[in-house]
Amino acid sequence: MNYVPPSPTGNAEAFAFDNSYARLPQQFFARIEPTPVAEPWLIKFNRPLAEELGLGVATLEREGAAIFSGNRLPAGADPIAMAYAGHQFGTFVPQLGDGRAILLGEVIDRNGQRRDIQLKGPGQTPFSRRGDGRAALGPVLREYIVSEAMFALGIPTTRALAAVVTGQPVYREQILPGAIVTRVAASHMRVGTFQFFAARGDMASVKVLADYAIDRHYPDVRDEERPYLAFYKAVTARQAELIARWLHVGFIHGVMNTDNMTISGETIDFGPCAFLDAYDPKKVFSSIDQIGRYAYASQPAIGQWNLARLAETLVPLFDDNQDTAVELANDALGEYGAIFQRHWLDGMRRKIGLATSEEGDLDLVQALLTAMHQGEADFTLTFRRLCDSARDPAADMVLASTFASAEAIGTWLGDWRERLGRETTTPDERSTAMKAVNPAYIPRNHRIEEAIVAATEDADFSLFEALVEVTANPYADQPQFARYQAPPSPEEEVQRTFCGT
């Protein structure tokens, strides 16, 4: 780690910025620069991502502490805090906005894709309300670990480019070291961004935003007869697929408010998120989710609810006749369930080794999940061990040991093997295909907490580094990281995760 003294007026040549969002009308954001910090130290720099983005890697490695802390603005940056509203746990808040995030600007990556570069935790903005605009070290490490793990799992997500400690404390329930994470996203537009303008009756701005979102993310819909309806359908389809993929790996977002649902279809905001250990469809980790609104199995329905709120903002653009517009919106929203179910079931088929589809496959999948719930079986380990059973029935004993009672899985295995008998793939082919979709490693909750405690209390980042390394290759067997595959012991279980604000 290297310390770089504050230099807010520096001119680091590291980003080829092209800041399209900052060229939108003033009501879309507030211009604000990061607040310098005392002693920034670079914890982690994601060099492969920087290279993908076409950034000046040498400059960032040399001056990253100052740049990623906000002490030094890169050349071409046009820092802004974005305006948005949102439903938080079902209650509408008309003004939220980037209260602890500042968008430095946008770059065009090596694949020709526009990407946002945003600092999270760089100080107060006009949207901070009573907050300090800062982030503590623990949530920054969590976001870095989980967002990069999600990317490695193949799930659309925001990325982590860098993390720094600030050398200044933040004050929560206790005094904690401050930190900043640099987040990369296809964009930071949310359902709540549309709600911000719709709530004010500003349909001109809703239209400007929709046009911008179409041009940036869904240019193919521009030539449709009803481009705004086609845009809405495209967002709906992406969200349905995204949430299905969350469920495939046991991910619980934890705070699926409308301000945390992106228009691009990326996973965003890793505050109280967690992964299932023992399978429980009603499982909730978030300390602020007192009623289980965002439980594991509730996420598909919440996704649809959020998309209904997006439809409310766009209805006037669907048709000049209000009744017709509402009917079109309802029909489009009604497609969500079928899209989600198709993606979810197709993914679950792959997880249990099915390359073809039959009418009874849904029942077979549900029977396995029921057995896992009743047998208190670890979600990730069950599916990974099933890969070995697909190659050799002798592995069934190891699989059965995942369950509290071996009888819980015995009957299902017989039904499964009967179904596999109608497949044409060989056992080796099947097992290999299953291992490509059933991770051996996820960022388990107790390992994340272990890494956070070591970093926060002892300035020891070795466990953080190890967790980032192992989850960067989640589908490969890595014997040297065996401890990261094991479920938690009872005393290691994490029961609650926190938002980090």
Side-chain angles (χ1 to χ4, degrees):
M1 295 188 295
N2 59 311
Y3 168 61
V4 178
S7 179
T9 60
N11 190 27
E13 297 288 349
F15 301 84
F17 283 119
D18 177 33
N19 306 321
S20 64
Y21 202 88
R23 294 194 288 268
L24 292 175
Q26 181 62 44
Q27 64 266 28
F28 282 76
F29 53 82
R31 282 194 161 82
I32 184 76
E33 292 190 3
T35 303
V37 298
E39 291 187 281
W41 292 83
L42 186 63
I43 303 167
K44 186 73 172 176
F45 172 56
N46 191 339
R47 183 185 179 116
L49 176 57
E51 291 174 342
E52 176 187 324
L53 295 171
L55 306 185
V57 172
T59 297
L60 293 175
E61 288 183 330
R62 184 177 63 252
E63 304 179 26
I67 293 170
F68 295 127
S69 66
N71 278 14
R72 183 175 300 164
L73 283 179
D78 191 356
I80 59 173
M82 297 171 66
Y84 54 84
H87 276 87
Q88 299 196 317
F89 290 89
T91 300
F92 184 64
V93 182
Q95 179 165 303
L96 294 168
D98 286 332
R100 61 183 185 124
I102 293 176
L103 177 64
L104 291 181
E106 305 156 25
V107 298
I108 309 299
D109 69 19
R110 296 195 183 279
N111 297 315
Q113 300 299 309
R114 183 176 293 274
R115 312 276 287 275
D116 281 359
I117 310 293
Q118 184 195 69
L119 301 182
K120 189 173 180 181
Q124 288 184 322
T125 79
F127 303 109
S128 295
R129 292 173 286 179
R130 294 183 298 275
D132 59 10
R134 294 297 185 186
L137 178 58
V140 163
L141 297 183
R142 178 183 295 275
E143 175 140 354
Y144 196 107
I145 292 166
V146 181
S147 63
E148 286 303 294
M150 293 288 275
F151 170 74
L153 288 165
I155 297 171
T157 181
T158 59
R159 302 283 307 274
L161 178 60
V164 299
V165 289
T166 63
Q168 296 177 190
V170 296
Y171 300 90
R172 302 296 184 257
E173 290 80 6
Q174 56 184 313
I175 300 175
L176 298 167
I180 298 170
V181 64
T182 301
R183 183 162 67 187
V184 176
S187 82
H188 286 84
M189 287 180 288
R190 313 145 190 268
V191 171
T193 317
F194 285 85
Q195 290 181 295
F196 179 85
F197 298 108
R200 290 158 175 76
D202 185 359
M203 283 308 301
S205 292
V206 171
K207 185 178 183 300
V208 168
L209 184 62
D211 287 335
Y212 177 85
I214 288 171
D215 290 341
R216 184 160 177 175
H217 295 300
Y218 304 95
D220 292 346
V221 310
R222 175 59 69 193
D223 296 328
E224 294 286 333
E225 180 181 359
R226 298 181 186 273
Y228 302 110
L229 180 63
F231 162 65
Y232 176 68
K233 288 182 176 182
V235 175
T236 296
R238 281 198 192 175
Q239 287 295 336
E241 181 177 6
L242 175 65
I243 295 170
R245 295 172 77 170
W246 288 355
L247 268 58
H248 291 153
V249 296
F251 179 72
I252 304 174
H253 185 282
V255 60
M256 285 182 66
N257 298 327
T258 57
D259 55 295
N260 291 329
M261 176 175 272
T262 63
I263 299 303
S264 65
E266 290 181 309
T267 312
I268 192 172
D269 197 334
F270 296 93
C273 69
F275 287 80
L276 288 172
D277 292 313
Y279 175 69
D280 179 355
K282 296 183 179 180
K283 184 64 178 177
V284 173
F285 287 95
S286 173
S287 63
I288 55 177
D289 191 357
Q290 300 297 323
I291 61 173
R293 177 180 174 85
Y294 301 141
Y296 171 78
S298 298
Q299 293 176 120
I302 291 298
Q304 187 173 39
W305 191 91
N306 288 349
L307 288 164
R309 307 288 77 76
L310 177 61
E312 290 169 352
T313 72
L314 295 172
V315 160
L317 301 179
F318 291 166
D319 195 274
D320 292 337
N321 182 285
Q322 184 176 3
D323 292 340
T324 301
V326 169
E327 183 178 355
L328 290 169
N330 285 332
D331 288 346
L333 183 61
E335 297 173 8
Y336 169 90
I339 298 171
F340 167 81
Q341 185 69 6
R342 183 179 72 252
H343 284 298
W344 179 81
L345 184 54
D346 285 349
M348 295 305 292
R349 283 192 178 103
R350 290 190 290 271
K351 286 178 74 69
I352 65 172
L354 304 182
T356 62
S357 60
E358 292 186 3
E359 187 175 342
D361 292 347
L362 176 59
D363 292 337
L364 185 66
V365 169
Q366 293 288 13
L368 173 59
L369 294 175
T370 298
M372 290 168 62
H373 189 202
Q374 294 174 346
E376 301 177 343
D378 182 80
F379 184 89
T380 303
L381 202 56
T382 296
F383 283 105
R384 188 67 178 187
R385 288 178 171 174
L386 194 64
C387 303
D388 295 326
S389 287
R391 174 179 281 120
D392 184 0
D396 288 357
M397 291 184 61
V398 177
L399 173 64
S401 70
T402 313
F403 293 73
S405 169
E407 290 76 16
I409 192 64
T411 300
W412 184 86
L413 284 170
D415 295 338
W416 177 57
R417 287 215 156 79
E418 180 183 357
R419 172 67 179 85
L420 292 181
R422 297 190 291 278
E423 293 283 307
T424 58
T425 52
T426 67
D428 283 348
E429 290 171 338
R430 183 178 304 129
S431 179
T432 299
M434 290 171 67
K435 284 191 173 183
V437 296
N438 289 310
Y441 301 94
I442 56 168
R444 289 187 178 273
N445 312 318
H446 66 299
R447 296 303 178 201
I448 294 175
E449 291 302 319
E450 178 184 59
I452 288 173
V453 169
T456 301
E457 297 184 359
D458 301 318
D460 177 2
F461 293 93
S462 61
L463 295 178
F464 162 73
E465 291 282 359
L467 194 49
V468 169
E469 181 180 353
V470 68
T471 55
N473 200 9
Y475 298 105
D477 292 315
Q478 303 177 67
Q480 72 275 27
F481 288 118
R483 72 187 294 265
Y484 290 96
Q485 190 171 16
S489 62
E491 62 272 15
E492 292 175 321
E493 286 185 15
V494 173
Q495 300 297 334
R496 287 287 178 266
T497 52
F498 300 89
C499 188
T501 55

